[in-house]
Amino acid sequence: MALTSIFSSLLSFILISNLLVSAAKSSPSSQDIKIQEQDRDPFVGFNIGTDVTTLLPPPQLVKFLQTQKINHVRLYDADPDLLKALSNTKIRVVISVPNNQLLAIGSSNTTAASWIGRNVVAYYPETLITAISVGDEVLTTVPSSAPLLLPAIESLYNALVASNLHARIKVSTPHAASIMLQTFPPSQAYFNQTWRSVMEPLLRFLSRTGSPLMMNLYPYYVYMQNRGAVPLDNCLFKPLTPAKEMVDPNTLLHYTNVLDAMVDAAYVSMKNLNVSDVAVLVTETGWPSGGDSKEPYATVDNADTYNSNLIKHVFERTGTPLRPEVTPSVYIYELFNEDKRAPPVSEASWGMFYGNSTPVYLLHVSGSGTFLANDTTNQTYCVAVDEDGVDVKTLQAALDWACGPGRANCSEIQPGESCYQPNDVKGHASFAFNSYYQKEGRGYGSCDFKGVAMITTTDPSHGSCIFPGSKKVGNRTQTVVNSTQVAGSEAFSRSLSRGFCVSIMILVTCILLPFW
């Protein structure tokens, strides 16, 4: 009996210890409860189109999103491989019903339920699906499908109700800005009367279910269609003098950028249909970085300026002039250049990155928290490509050239030096490639090495290994201090761990001592 009591006491203690450890580990991941609370804060996400020649495979794409601290994405379908790769991450996902599936879903509750089962229930909650966008700009691109839009939305919502997911996953449909007329001044905006029979019941549905009005809003097109009437600086979020701000004569509200005016136009349009409790979610906005001769304002500089200022604007949480208490969240169009898109040239040039994750241009978003934290404002690095199929011989030859004829500083990757580990060709090549790239002033063509190198905005420094060009290089003392702090932190963790083990031993001794 004594032995049984001993083991019973030990087992109870171990179970309690495991529960405490599990609770400590799982408390940050109680994300399922906090998802909606966190998503009330304004965020910036990205649309991910797939008309890309060399798109990263889903696992690498998800790793890239995590590296860039991108926590919100919108897909134009419900790709099973990507949804599976997104499981057990903190990345929130909007999935979509393509326009060509509206007929089937809008005509059959069974089909809608099957779609939810196949594309939502099969992945949730491991994959954090937060919304379903039903179709895309249906009223203006496929008006013949308009009568099916609301039935499809309601059928999908009812299927979510049946799965008890309706409170967690919202259902809506993205609209083009052209469904609104007289958008400036915003106080005079209203929805095109042609679509009143669709918009009225749709807005009532959105109000009843707490879903957002999804709008695709592009100041770029506003500028292209109104050159001379709308200043470029107003479209790009550039600082304006009071004299250059746009003023709504009916409300006397001042607008410092076109996007805010478009959002407020949507609020006014809803109010004209007696709806005032539906939030606007900007499902698409952006600026192209390239165009043909008819698109002279589709430039890298303008794309950089628009998207950088947009991100800062959202994270400043200043709302809009009409709704200063509410800052709309936005999804930037888009993450990758879709080089397979048909002309005009700008259609293939909306991305911030190429399909292999090399940046098209660098954003200037320093000070915007952890989002895109690896953008260091014009600081880039050259590293070995992150692909399993890279030929090791080619990589080794490139490494030899960089450290030889290329005259890169390769002293730090010698045995015993700070960047020797990891002791592999890829790790050493990344350091050598970057050393050469920085030595050449990050010039065009200095990061190629026969296709085995790529430019990244991610600082590849790790531990005590500081890559050339890193912000840490300029202050060796600071690096030492940081290393000391890390070492101290690790020592504290080890000490804490040892203390925990000692506590267990003492407790076990106390339990066993009476029986010895």
Side-chain angles (χ1 to χ4, degrees):
M1 287 294 293
L3 190 60
T4 302
S5 297
I6 292 171
F7 283 113
S8 177
S9 299
L10 280 173
L11 181 60
S12 297
F13 174 73
I14 291 170
L15 287 173
I16 292 170
S17 299
N18 286 340
L19 285 171
L20 289 172
V21 172
S22 297
K25 287 182 178 179
S26 65
S27 76
S29 65
S30 311
Q31 54 195 21
D32 202 37
I33 300 173
K34 298 180 180 178
I35 288 174
Q36 290 184 346
E37 290 182 3
Q38 292 174 357
D39 285 344
R40 289 193 190 112
D41 293 332
F43 62 80
V44 177
F46 283 92
N47 290 280
I48 301 179
T50 56
D51 285 338
V52 184
T53 302
T54 57
L55 186 64
L56 292 171
Q60 292 184 30
L61 174 52
V62 171
K63 183 179 178 182
F64 172 73
L65 294 173
Q66 292 174 315
T67 299
Q68 294 294 333
K69 305 294 189 297
I70 295 171
N71 292 323
H72 294 83
V73 296
R74 175 176 170 240
L75 313 181
Y76 287 96
D77 53 20
D79 179 75
D81 293 331
L82 188 49
L83 288 176
K84 183 177 180 181
L86 285 163
S87 66
N88 300 313
T89 68
K90 295 182 179 180
I91 299 172
R92 281 110 165 108
V93 190
V94 176
I95 59 175
S96 301
V97 176
N99 287 345
N100 59 13
Q101 295 182 25
L102 282 178
L103 176 60
I105 292 175
S107 304
S108 168
N109 291 333
T110 302
T111 302
S114 175
W115 194 95
I116 291 295
R118 187 172 62 254
N119 298 301
V120 178
V121 177
Y123 302 100
Y124 191 90
E126 288 77 16
T127 300
L128 296 177
I129 299 169
T130 58
I132 302 170
S133 59
V134 184
D136 189 41
E137 301 186 354
V138 174
L139 301 184
T140 50
T141 58
V142 281
S144 59
S145 296
L148 296 167
L149 183 57
L150 189 57
I153 289 174
E154 290 179 329
S155 293
L156 291 168
Y157 177 77
N158 291 335
L160 288 174
V161 171
S163 300
N164 198 29
L165 294 175
H166 59 290
R168 300 173 183 268
I169 300 173
K170 303 304 179 183
V171 186
S172 188
T173 182
H175 299 284
S178 57
I179 69 165
M180 300 183 294
L181 302 178
Q182 299 293 329
T183 54
F184 198 88
S187 60
Q188 294 180 1
Y190 60 92
F191 289 123
N192 189 327
Q193 294 299 303
T194 303
W195 305 118
R196 182 163 185 154
S197 61
V198 175
M199 291 304 298
E200 279 191 320
L202 173 61
L203 290 174
R204 287 197 297 270
F205 168 86
L206 298 179
S207 175
R208 186 176 77 250
T209 61
S211 300
L213 175 68
M214 295 179 170
M215 297 294 299
N216 298 341
L217 304 177
Y218 289 96
Y220 171 74
Y221 290 125
V222 171
Y223 181 72
M224 292 297 290
Q225 294 162 10
N226 299 275
R227 271 185 283 178
V230 179
L232 181 61
D233 286 356
N234 297 53
C235 294
L236 296 174
F237 293 92
K238 286 191 174 182
L240 304 175
T241 62
K244 291 186 177 180
E245 293 176 356
M246 302 173 289
V247 181
D248 187 324
N250 300 311
T251 62
L252 299 182
L253 293 173
H254 287 237
Y255 287 87
T256 60
N257 66 83
V258 171
L259 185 67
D260 279 354
M262 298 177 81
V263 170
D264 279 356
Y267 282 127
V268 171
S269 297
M270 285 192 284
K271 188 176 181 181
N272 286 334
L273 293 182
N274 299 313
V275 174
S276 57
D277 60 349
V278 173
V280 173
L281 174 63
V282 182
T283 37
E284 289 182 13
T285 191
W287 199 282
S289 62
D292 56 31
S293 59
K294 296 180 180 178
E295 301 172 295
Y297 298 94
T299 66
V300 166
D301 285 344
N302 285 343
D304 176 8
T305 300
Y306 180 83
N307 286 318
S308 296
N309 289 338
L310 167 69
I311 291 168
K312 292 177 182 177
H313 184 65
V314 172
F315 288 144
E316 285 170 356
R317 303 186 182 188
T318 54
T320 66
L322 188 61
R323 298 278 183 91
E325 76 284 1
V326 180
T327 299
S329 295
V330 304
Y331 288 88
I332 293 176
Y333 185 85
E334 58 185 333
L335 190 60
F336 300 114
N337 267 356
E338 293 188 271
D339 59 311
K340 294 164 69 174
R341 296 293 293 269
V345 173
S346 63
E347 281 297 301
S349 306
W350 289 84
M352 292 187 183
F353 298 87
Y354 297 105
N356 65 357
S357 78
T358 301
V360 176
Y361 56 88
L362 296 176
L363 292 171
H364 294 69
V365 295
S366 56
S368 296
T370 60
F371 180 72
L372 288 178
N374 294 305
D375 161 52
T376 51
T377 309
N378 287 332
Q379 181 58 60
T380 54
Y381 308 87
C382 179
V383 296
V385 295
D386 189 18
E387 295 180 13
D388 296 332
V390 174
D391 182 60
V392 177
K393 291 183 179 179
T394 305
L395 199 59
Q396 182 66 59
L399 168 60
D400 294 341
W401 184 90
C403 293
R407 302 183 68 180
N409 183 359
C410 297
S411 59
E412 294 298 313
I413 55 176
Q414 301 307 310
E417 298 300 324
S418 59
C419 295
Y420 180 68
Q421 297 293 341
N423 181 21
D424 56 41
V425 175
K426 182 180 176 182
H428 290 179
S430 288
F431 187 90
F433 293 169
N434 184 63
S435 176
Y436 176 80
Y437 176 67
Q438 301 296 336
K439 177 176 70 74
E440 295 297 311
R442 304 195 300 273
Y444 178 79
S446 59
C447 181
D448 180 66
F449 297 96
K450 295 187 176 180
V452 296
M454 60 179 277
I455 295 173
T456 179
T457 56
T458 302
D459 187 342
S461 302
H462 52 90
S464 60
C465 175
I466 309 301
F467 273 52
S470 170
K471 289 187 290 185
K472 299 178 181 179
V473 170
N475 190 337
R476 301 295 294 182
T477 303
Q478 182 65 38
T479 301
V480 173
V481 170
N482 289 343
S483 299
T484 303
Q485 290 172 341
V486 170
S489 176
E490 291 174 350
F492 175 75
S493 298
R494 288 194 297 270
S495 174
L496 189 63
S497 178
R498 285 197 296 269
F500 184 66
C501 292
V502 170
S503 298
I504 291 177
M505 292 175 65
I506 292 171
L507 186 55
V508 170
T509 302
C510 292
I511 294 171
L512 293 178
L513 193 57
F515 301 96
W516 287 349

